[in-house]
Amino acid sequence: MIDRASRIVDRAAPWALGVAVFLLSMAATAGSMGVRSALPVPVLTAVAACCGVAAAFARRWLWPLAAAGALSYAWLVMWPAAVAASYYAGTRLGRRGLWLYAGGAVALQALGGFVSYRSEGYRALVAGTVVNVLILGGAMVGLPLFAGLWVRARRQVFDAMREQSEQLLREQVLRAGQARDQERARIAREMHDVVAHRVSLMVLHAGALEVNAPDARTAEAAALIGGVGRQALTNLREVLGVLRSSDPVRGPQPTLADLDRLLDQSRALGIVVSRHDEGEARPLAPTAERTAYRVVQEALTNVHKHAGGAETEVRLRYRATELEVLVRNRPSTADGGLPGSGWGLVGLRERVELVGGRLEAGPRAQGGFQVLAGIPTA
C-alpha cells in the first residue's frame, strides 16, 4: 500500500509542479502584485502555460524549462519557471553543466536588470536597481540552485548507504552459506567415517554368517540383516548426498506402497504386526504418503528399541480431509537393548507439522504406547 501510494505521488508530482508554475506565473504578471501588463491576457496565459508544461517535463528535459524561464523573466519578470529550472539544475547537472547554467543565469539577470532600468513604472521599481538585481538573482537562482545541490547530495548519501547495506547483507548471506556448507560437509564426513563404516561391517559379517550358517533359520536371519543393512547404506548415501550438495539428486522416496515391506521386516524380527485400513483407500500426494510412511517407521523403531517383541497394530484411516495413522503396541516388559537418541519423536513431530498435520504420542491407559498422526490430504 505504501509503495503504491509513493508511486502515485511520484507520477503526480511533475504535473502538480506544472500547475503550480502556471498559476504562480499568472499571479506574478497580473493578479497577486496588483499590476497589469500591457500585453493581452491570452498572450500572458500562453506564456504561463508554456512555462507550466516545461516544468511538468523538467525531469526528462531540463533545458526547455531553462529557456522558458529565461524568456519569461527577461520579457515579463515572470519568475516561477526560472526558480524551478534552477532547482532542477542543482539536482541534475554535472559540474560543467552547472558552470554553464550559472553563467547563463548571471547574464540573464544582467539583461533583466538592464531592461528594467530602461523601463518605466513597476518593472523599473522591482528589478531596475543593482540591489534588486542581486536580491532577485539570489532568490531565483542561488537559493533554488543550492537547494537542488543539497537534495542531490542527500540522495547520493542515501544511495551509498543503501548500496553499502545491501553489500553487507549479501556478504553476510554468503558467509552464512559458506559456514552452513562447511558444517554440512563436516557432518557428512563424520557420518561416513563412523556410521557408514559400522553399517558396512555389519553387512559384511551378515554375509559371512549367511554363507557359513549352520542351519536355514540362521541363514535366513543373516540374509535379513544383510538386506536391512544394505538398504540402510543406500539411505545413508542419499543423506550424505543431501549434506554434500546444495542441489542434490534424490532417489525414489518411500510411499504407502512400500509399507507392507516395512512391516514384513519387523515381522521377520519376531514382532507380530497387523495392519488395518479403514475408509476408501485412494492415492495421496507424495508428501502425505511419505510422511505417513515415516510415522510408521519411527513408531516401529521405538517398538524394537523399547518394547521388545510386543504385538503391534498399524491402522490407516482414510478420512475426507486427512489420513490418520495410528501405531500402538501392547504392554511389554522386555527391552530391545538398543540405544535411543531421544530425538526421534521430536523430529517426527516437526515433519508432521511441516505438512500442516498433528502428532500425538504417549503411553496408553491400558498399557503400552501409541503414536497418532493426522496428515492433511488436501
Side-chain angles (χ1 to χ4, degrees):
M1 183 64 70
I2 296 177
D3 293 339
R4 183 179 180 182
S6 63
R7 287 196 298 268
I8 293 176
V9 172
D10 187 67
R11 292 178 181 177
W15 298 104
L17 176 63
V19 173
V21 168
F22 170 75
L23 296 177
L24 290 174
S25 298
M26 293 296 297
T29 56
S32 62
M33 294 183 179
V35 178
R36 294 190 177 275
S37 174
L39 293 176
V41 174
V43 176
L44 297 176
T45 304
V47 174
C50 291
C51 293
V53 172
F57 290 94
R59 287 186 179 181
R60 296 183 180 179
W61 303 290
L62 172 62
W63 294 111
L65 178 60
L71 179 62
S72 61
Y73 175 74
W75 183 18
L76 302 171
V77 198
M78 193 179 290
W79 53 267
V83 172
S86 299
Y87 172 79
Y88 275 110
T91 59
R92 295 184 53 187
L93 295 180
R95 179 178 299 180
R96 188 174 182 180
L98 284 174
W99 281 111
L100 180 63
Y101 183 85
V106 171
L108 174 65
Q109 290 295 319
L111 177 62
F114 177 75
V115 172
S116 298
Y117 175 76
R118 302 290 295 180
S119 301
E120 297 179 357
Y122 175 78
R123 181 184 179 97
L125 179 66
V126 171
T129 66
V130 176
V131 176
N132 287 345
V133 168
L134 295 177
I135 293 176
L136 289 176
M140 288 193 312
V141 179
L143 290 179
L145 188 63
F146 283 112
L149 291 173
W150 178 80
V151 169
R152 181 166 66 175
R154 188 168 177 267
R155 289 175 181 172
Q156 290 174 350
V157 170
F158 279 124
D159 291 341
M161 293 175 60
R162 185 182 302 109
E163 183 179 357
Q164 184 178 9
S165 64
E166 292 176 354
Q167 183 178 359
L168 291 176
L169 180 59
R170 289 193 296 268
E171 292 177 355
Q172 182 180 2
V173 172
L174 181 61
R175 286 195 297 267
Q178 291 176 348
R180 182 173 60 251
D181 293 340
Q182 292 174 359
E183 183 64 17
R184 291 170 62 172
R186 186 189 66 81
I187 295 174
R189 287 194 302 268
E190 293 293 331
M191 292 181 63
H192 178 272
D193 294 341
V194 178
V195 181
H197 177 68
R198 300 294 183 183
V199 176
S200 299
L201 290 178
M202 181 186 71
V203 172
L204 290 175
H205 286 294
L209 179 61
E210 181 183 2
V211 173
N212 301 316
D215 52 58
R217 184 174 181 180
T218 304
E220 183 180 354
L224 177 61
I225 295 173
V228 173
R230 283 186 288 272
Q231 184 179 1
L233 283 174
T234 301
N235 296 334
L236 183 59
R237 281 194 295 270
E238 294 177 359
V239 173
L240 293 179
V242 171
L243 290 174
R244 290 183 180 276
S245 175
S246 59
D247 188 18
V249 179
R250 302 186 180 184
Q253 298 295 308
T255 62
L256 291 179
D258 305 310
L259 188 58
D260 287 331
R261 185 174 59 181
L262 177 65
L263 301 183
D264 289 338
Q265 292 178 355
S266 294
R267 294 188 184 105
L269 295 175
I271 297 179
V272 178
V273 182
S274 60
R275 173 181 175 178
H276 305 280
D277 292 359
E278 299 179 5
E280 184 179 356
R282 62 186 185 276
L284 304 178
T287 303
E289 292 199 7
R290 183 165 59 251
T291 304
Y293 180 92
R294 296 303 184 191
V295 170
V296 177
Q297 184 182 44
E298 179 62 27
L300 291 178
T301 301
N302 288 335
V303 171
H304 287 291
K305 288 181 178 180
H306 308 296
E311 182 178 349
T312 304
E313 176 187 6
V314 177
R315 191 174 294 271
L316 303 181
R317 295 169 179 161
Y318 291 87
R319 304 191 184 279
T321 58
E322 71 173 8
L323 172 65
E324 190 176 87
V325 180
L326 174 63
V327 182
R328 57 189 176 188
N329 60 276
R330 294 182 179 275
S332 175
T333 57
D335 192 337
L338 298 175
S341 64
W343 295 100
L345 291 178
V346 175
L348 188 61
R349 177 172 285 105
E350 293 176 352
R351 178 189 291 269
V352 174
E353 292 177 351
L354 190 62
V355 297
R358 55 184 174 83
L359 180 72
E360 301 174 4
R364 302 171 58 197
Q366 304 87 348
F369 198 86
Q370 77 172 16
V371 175
L372 176 63
I375 302 170
T377 57

